[in-house]
Amino acid sequence: MSKLTKDYISPLRLKISFNKLLEQYEQLIDNDDEIVAENARKMLAIAKEYPELRDGFEELEKLELYKPQIAQLLRDTFSPVLTNNEIKAATIPFHKTIFNSSSRFKKIVEEAGKDFDLEITNMSDDQFYIMGCVVALQMCHGYKLDFRRPFYFEIPDQNGITKYYRILYNADFMEVTANKNALPITQDDVDELMDNFENIALWKEKFPVDSYDSRGFIIANMFDATADVSISNIKSTLIKADKRQSENFMTDFHGVFQSFFNIPDLQVGFSVFNKEEQTFERVYGKGIKSYLLFDKDQTSCNDILCKGSYGALITEKTYFAISDVDKYYKMSNGQNPYKALYENGIKSVVFAPIVFEDELLGIIELVSKKARMLNSVVAHKLEDIMPFIVSSVQRSKNEEENEIEAIIQRECTSIHPSVYWRFEKEAKNFIKSEYKGEKPVFSNISFDNVYPLYGQIDIKGSSDARNQATKFDLTEQLNAAKGVIEAAVEFEPLPIYDQLSYQIDRILGGIQNFFQVDSEQQISEFLHSEVHPLFEHLEKKRSDLYEKVENYYKLLDDSLGLVYKHRKDYDNTVSMVNQRMAELLDEKQKGAQEMYPHYFERFKTDGVEHNMYIGESITKEDSFNPLYLRNLRLWQLQVMCEMENEYYHMRSDFPMQLDVASMILVFSSPLSISFRMDEKQFDVDGTYNARYEVVKKRVDKAIIKGTTKRITEKGKITIVYAQKSDEIEYLDYIRFLQSKNYLDKRIEIVELEDLQGVTGLKAIRADVLYSSDKDEKLYTYNDLMKELEA
């Protein structure tokens, strides 16, 4: 015979018994109500005739044997009057055997189909075992552990829609006792178990299989919790990561919506609202459709909505329901959205706006191929789940923005805000191609008819300054090394020491007279390969030389193994100059962008360079006027004067005293720029435009015609140009800045020696006026130097 415990592992050895129920009837036989008392006597008579019903049994076959008697015993708990309303069943703890149930429960199970197997869906075998342990702890040992959690049956209805039934167990008719296999349980055991819920081996150790006897039965009362569970499932589905890439996301999504709305063929779609362009756009993801757009990627709101639907969704931000598409298609003479829905076999629809902080993010689209399945009454149910949809869409929007940002960063490096919109557009196309399964390509990004502006504040004679610093460091190190070798000669007069001293003297002489680009590397190699190995030898052999060698090594930089004092002063000075000049330029740029948006980039070299491009193609608006170009040119000249002043105000704070020289390059003709993916930066397009880049790279080394002087000079702003009109324009700016005490009255106009492939360049050189920290007087560079020296 089949027993309850066959293929069932639990600490509880199960027996079906009605003892606890019969004890209730024993208390009722003397009831004042004779009907109640008579009924109790009948129940006890059944138990007396069939004592096994009280004693308990394990064999499943006996449920059929005692079926009439069990039905009689349970008549009061399963009222015939409520049998078509209540969802109720008599069962055994942690077992799927049902031996009595209400008519409604029977009908629900029958409609699920012959192959349906009734299982609690949200409990694993291990959790059932632990539940048995918790029951034993409570009923036999008096420990209260709260393991209560909601249990559900998932049962499909006759239309295949999954329904969820919450189970509430009544255990009044259960009794549990420890048998000979049970182990003693202490508070320490309970404490250990509470800290190790997932350790099933520990639970089985404390509560061996079949170590407790369970007699009785339980009543499972159920109610339809489909709406609540569906809302929870919708929420869970929406918060999944990588939803749009998941193969099953939309399948699961349709399923939970079908359960929630009780509509078997319900389908869900989405579309995104683009506020700037007043369009609806497709959501790209596996299985995600749009029943506003159908096969389109993007469409104007006016093209796919009628006046009524536009007013509801866009203006009022409320739902729009069509209960009978065919009817309204005829009434509207084939207008959209009825036309597209009709042609695609959709019969009823609810479109609902997804709104966050009064901003329309998109539309959720519910459709059915049956008329009147979706209507304005059904639409109100969306209010229960819309907060989760809004939260999910907002999160997806943020994720998409992050993804766009990541693609832009990966493909194009940091992008200036003025042109970000163009990269964002290409990034969206990139994502669309990926989701379509195409090979995504980041298209070329270019801007036509833009005017360039270039400027630099450069450290004057930076190469000479660094070479001089290098000479000082190498000289100090070589002299220190020579000192150690001379000390070694006194203790051990070997010819090789004299030869090394001679080499060092030769190198010192070469540093002063013939210092070249590779001199530093050659000297470093000599020290590391010939001098330092000797010093390691001397340290070990001659303890009296140890201190001298250690003093030598103390002069060296730990990471370079060289004296790095003067070069460090130089490098720190350049770094500080670049940092402060870049900060000032960036701060000033904020105001310039507010005047009129333009592209801006800067680079730190031996100084700070900047490029700017201004034009209508960058702003994306039909608002550009040459006035804005002239304004930006004047702004640039003024800021360069301010940067010169800032440098000399902070010059005394630098480790090394250096000078700077400023230059502006003027280019009159508009040109095209294109983003070079391999170089991650903008560059000019076309042969003619390339002339601008050639001039930009070489002009600061240009010589004044008929002289050996560079065009850039400390204390002056140099403005290089080619057209007479540029000269006239900038002379006007200079006169204005002279009136504002930015520039001195003295200016000069010079011609430049021809550059390779470029002729006819000229330059205006104007003296910068500097203010002193001591007083409010203004000085030229030479006067300022005298003042600072004084």
Side-chain angles (χ1 to χ4, degrees):
M1 298 183 76
S2 299
K3 293 191 176 183
L4 292 171
T5 52
K6 184 181 180 182
D7 300 325
Y8 174 76
I9 300 175
S10 170
L12 305 179
R13 184 177 182 86
L14 300 177
K15 279 189 176 183
I16 300 172
S17 166
F18 299 92
N19 179 57
K20 295 287 285 186
L21 175 64
L22 293 168
E23 286 179 353
Q24 296 276 351
Y25 283 122
E26 285 172 348
Q27 297 177 19
L28 295 175
I29 56 175
D30 296 323
N31 194 280
D32 294 338
D33 188 327
E34 183 55 34
I35 296 176
V36 172
E38 178 61 25
N39 181 59
R41 286 191 285 271
K42 287 181 181 178
M43 299 302 169
L44 292 171
I46 295 172
K48 186 176 182 180
E49 185 176 353
Y50 303 96
E52 200 169 19
L53 293 175
R54 183 188 286 272
D55 296 338
F57 55 87
E58 298 179 54
E59 299 79 10
L60 291 173
E61 287 80 1
K62 290 185 179 179
L63 286 172
E64 187 64 28
L65 177 66
Y66 296 127
K67 187 175 182 179
Q69 290 77 22
I70 291 172
Q72 285 292 324
L73 290 176
L74 296 178
R75 180 176 293 276
D76 289 341
T77 54
F78 287 83
S79 170
V81 177
L82 300 175
T83 191
N84 293 318
N85 181 270
E86 290 183 329
I87 309 172
K88 196 172 187 179
T91 182
I92 308 152
F94 322 124
H95 208 281
K96 60 183 179 181
T97 298
I98 303 290
F99 56 83
N100 200 69
S101 60
S102 66
S103 296
R104 186 177 176 191
F105 179 82
K106 290 176 184 176
K107 184 179 180 183
I108 289 171
V109 175
E110 286 172 4
E111 289 180 350
K114 293 180 180 179
D115 297 329
F116 177 72
D117 191 15
L118 192 65
E119 295 274 5
I120 295 177
T121 56
N122 57 334
M123 283 287 287
S124 66
D125 291 342
D126 287 348
Q127 288 174 328
F128 274 122
Y129 194 99
I130 293 171
M131 275 192 68
C133 299
V134 171
V135 169
L137 276 170
Q138 291 178 340
M139 299 186 74
C140 295
H141 300 283
Y143 291 104
K144 300 295 183 182
L145 269 70
D146 189 357
F147 189 64
R148 289 175 297 177
R149 52 177 298 198
F151 300 119
Y152 296 95
F153 284 136
E154 269 184 44
I155 307 176
D157 68 7
Q158 58 188 351
N159 296 315
I161 295 176
T162 301
K163 297 288 187 177
Y164 301 89
Y165 297 92
R166 172 82 178 271
I167 310 166
L168 299 176
Y169 288 114
N170 182 339
D172 288 348
F173 309 114
M174 286 295 304
E175 48 190 331
V176 177
T177 55
N179 61 37
K180 63 180 181 179
N181 297 322
L183 302 176
I185 298 296
T186 67
Q187 182 64 54
D188 289 340
D189 292 325
V190 175
D191 292 342
E192 185 180 5
L193 290 168
M194 285 194 292
D195 291 332
N196 292 276
F197 176 80
E198 300 295 339
N199 188 350
I200 185 63
L202 179 65
W203 287 90
K204 288 182 177 180
E205 176 189 328
K206 306 290 185 185
F207 295 89
V209 175
D210 293 343
S211 56
Y212 291 81
D213 294 324
S214 170
R215 290 200 313 156
F217 69 96
I218 55 175
I219 301 294
N221 293 283
M222 290 158 275
F223 65 90
D224 190 339
T226 302
D228 293 336
V229 176
S230 295
I231 290 172
S232 178
N233 288 343
I234 288 169
K235 183 179 179 181
S236 300
T237 305
L238 287 171
I239 64 176
K240 287 180 182 175
D242 299 321
K243 297 187 291 290
R244 293 188 293 182
Q245 294 287 10
S246 171
E247 296 281 357
N248 300 322
F249 169 68
M250 285 310 295
T251 302
D252 296 341
F253 202 68
H254 293 317
V256 293
F257 265 70
Q258 289 163 3
S259 294
F260 181 68
F261 287 97
N262 198 29
I263 299 175
D265 72 331
L266 180 69
Q267 296 293 296
V268 185
F270 294 91
S271 52
V272 175
F273 177 64
N274 186 324
K275 183 179 180 180
E276 290 183 3
E277 299 183 18
Q278 287 290 298
T279 59
F280 287 120
E281 298 175 359
R282 179 180 298 279
V283 176
Y284 286 89
K286 293 179 179 178
I288 302 178
K289 296 182 179 180
S290 170
Y291 298 98
L292 274 172
L293 296 167
F294 288 100
D295 59 347
K296 299 180 178 67
D297 286 337
Q298 182 179 21
T299 305
S300 167
C301 299
N302 287 317
D303 290 342
I304 56 174
L305 296 178
C306 61
K307 186 176 180 181
S309 55
Y310 186 98
L313 296 172
I314 308 296
T315 307
E316 300 296 329
K317 298 183 181 68
T318 188
Y319 70 85
F320 184 78
I322 309 170
S323 61
D324 190 337
V325 170
D326 291 0
K327 173 184 174 182
Y328 284 92
Y329 169 74
K330 294 175 183 176
M331 290 174 59
S332 67
N333 295 319
Q335 283 188 31
N336 272 329
Y338 313 108
K339 181 175 184 292
L341 295 168
Y342 176 81
E343 290 175 349
N344 285 276
I346 306 300
K347 302 301 182 184
S348 59
V349 171
V350 170
F351 294 137
I354 303 169
V355 181
F356 179 73
E357 295 182 348
D358 204 39
E359 178 185 353
L360 179 62
L361 302 179
I363 304 294
I364 182 170
E365 308 152 355
L366 309 182
V367 302
S368 171
K369 293 194 173 182
K370 294 181 180 178
R372 289 174 289 280
M373 292 298 288
L374 289 162
N375 49 65
S376 61
V377 176
V378 172
H380 277 285
K381 292 185 71 175
L382 277 169
E383 293 179 7
D384 295 325
I385 59 173
M386 192 56 79
F388 308 125
I389 295 172
V390 171
S391 177
S392 175
V393 171
Q394 182 64 19
R395 186 171 58 253
S396 294
K397 183 181 178 183
N398 293 335
E399 290 171 355
E400 183 180 53
E401 288 173 356
N402 292 336
E403 188 176 1
I404 289 170
E405 179 70 26
I407 290 172
I408 292 173
Q409 292 290 337
R410 184 178 75 232
E411 300 292 328
C412 317
T413 196
S414 297
I415 300 303
H416 191 261
S418 62
V419 294
Y420 184 86
W421 65 271
R422 184 70 177 81
F423 289 87
E424 185 179 38
K425 184 176 180 181
E426 287 305 322
K428 283 185 176 180
N429 292 334
F430 192 98
I431 292 172
K432 288 178 184 178
S433 297
E434 266 189 333
Y435 284 128
K436 286 181 176 180
E438 301 169 356
K439 187 176 181 180
V441 177
F442 205 91
S443 301
N444 181 55
I445 292 175
S446 60
F447 297 95
D448 299 325
N449 295 315
V450 295
Y451 292 89
L453 296 91
Y454 172 78
Q456 67 173 42
I457 181 165
D458 196 33
I459 294 174
K460 193 70 174 169
S462 57
S463 297
D464 292 340
R466 193 184 193 286
N467 285 343
Q468 193 64 34
T470 304
K471 286 181 185 180
F472 289 149
D473 285 341
L474 293 175
T475 299
E476 183 175 345
Q477 184 168 356
L478 288 165
N479 282 326
K482 184 180 177 183
V484 176
I485 293 170
E486 288 174 345
V489 171
E490 294 178 11
F491 293 103
E492 192 177 19
L494 299 178
I496 191 64
Y497 295 159
D498 293 330
Q499 192 268 338
L500 281 173
S501 290
Y502 168 74
Q503 274 188 272
I504 290 173
D505 287 337
R506 270 185 65 243
I507 293 170
L508 285 168
I511 288 175
Q512 301 306 319
N513 301 314
F514 307 105
F515 191 80
Q516 297 176 333
V517 175
D518 61 346
S519 296
E520 182 179 355
Q521 183 179 350
Q522 291 176 2
I523 295 168
S524 176
E525 178 64 25
F526 166 73
L527 289 165
H528 283 100
S529 63
E530 297 191 42
V531 176
H532 291 174
L534 170 63
F535 288 179
E536 291 174 11
H537 167 73
L538 291 175
E539 271 190 309
K540 295 175 183 177
K541 184 178 179 182
R542 306 286 314 192
S543 59
D544 38 17
L545 288 176
Y546 179 83
E547 186 176 348
K548 285 185 177 293
V549 174
E550 284 302 300
N551 288 335
Y552 166 82
Y553 281 119
K554 285 177 182 178
L555 294 174
L556 310 187
D557 180 83
D558 292 337
S559 59
L560 298 175
L562 296 168
V563 172
Y564 181 59
K565 187 190 302 179
H566 296 89
R567 278 173 293 181
K568 186 176 183 180
D569 286 345
Y570 171 82
D571 290 341
N572 286 344
T573 299
V574 171
S575 177
M576 292 170 70
V577 170
N578 287 349
Q579 184 66 25
R580 182 61 193 124
M581 294 299 100
E583 286 175 356
L584 178 60
L585 190 57
D586 290 346
E587 187 62 32
K588 295 291 183 182
Q589 250 293 302
K590 294 176 184 177
Q593 290 292 341
E594 290 175 2
M595 295 180 207
Y596 192 82
H598 57 277
Y599 179 79
F600 169 81
E601 62 182 358
R602 59 161 175 76
F603 311 96
K604 294 178 182 178
T605 54
D606 285 346
V608 176
E609 303 174 36
H610 65 270
N611 287 319
M612 294 184 289
Y613 298 101
I614 187 170
E616 193 166 293
S617 60
I618 289 177
T619 59
K620 200 176 70 168
E621 297 176 5
D622 186 16
S623 61
F624 179 73
N625 187 288
L627 169 72
Y628 297 114
L629 170 61
R630 295 197 298 273
N631 181 73
L632 192 59
R633 285 176 169 176
L634 175 59
W635 172 89
Q636 181 189 36
L637 182 55
Q638 180 174 318
V639 169
M640 296 291 283
C641 293
E642 293 174 3
M643 291 171 72
E644 282 267 352
N645 261 275
E646 179 68 17
Y647 173 76
Y648 284 105
H649 283 160
M650 62 188 295
R651 184 170 179 262
S652 60
D653 298 333
F654 299 148
M656 185 177 288
Q657 301 300 296
L658 301 173
D659 286 305
V660 296
S662 299
M663 185 201 73
I664 289 171
L665 175 62
V666 183
F667 198 77
S668 299
S669 303
L671 44 75
S672 297
I673 58 172
S674 179
F675 191 83
R676 308 296 186 199
M677 293 295 179
D678 52 347
E679 299 172 11
K680 307 295 185 187
Q681 66 181 38
F682 278 101
D683 202 354
V684 297
D685 273 340
T687 305
Y688 174 75
N689 294 335
R691 179 172 178 265
Y692 170 72
E693 286 294 327
V694 171
V695 174
K696 192 170 70 174
K697 291 174 182 176
R698 299 176 181 170
V699 70
D700 66 326
K701 305 292 191 297
I703 304 298
I704 298 174
K705 204 166 193 177
T707 73
T708 58
K709 289 183 177 181
R710 290 262 187 101
I711 58 161
T712 56
E713 186 177 334
K714 57 191 177 185
K716 297 179 184 291
I717 295 279
T718 300
I719 304 161
V720 179
Y721 60 94
Q723 305 294 328
K724 183 66 176 179
S725 58
D726 296 330
E727 179 183 302
I728 294 170
E729 181 180 340
Y730 272 86
L731 286 174
D732 282 342
Y733 300 153
I734 289 170
R735 282 190 284 269
F736 171 73
L737 293 177
Q738 286 171 339
S739 72
K740 297 292 185 181
N741 293 324
Y742 281 89
L743 296 171
D744 189 44
K745 298 297 181 184
R746 188 168 66 87
I747 63 171
E748 57 181 326
I749 298 174
V750 298
E751 294 184 27
L752 277 60
E753 291 285 0
D754 292 346
L755 301 174
Q756 185 179 348
V758 180
T759 61
L761 293 179
K762 298 175 73 176
I764 303 172
R765 304 206 308 172
D767 286 3
V768 179
L769 286 177
Y770 301 94
S771 61
S772 171
D773 292 333
K774 297 179 181 179
D775 52 47
E776 296 182 359
K777 289 176 63 177
L778 297 170
Y779 302 87
T780 62
Y781 173 80
N782 290 330
D783 292 336
L784 179 65
M785 292 301 105
K786 292 176 184 177
E787 178 69 17
L788 292 175
E789 289 171 5

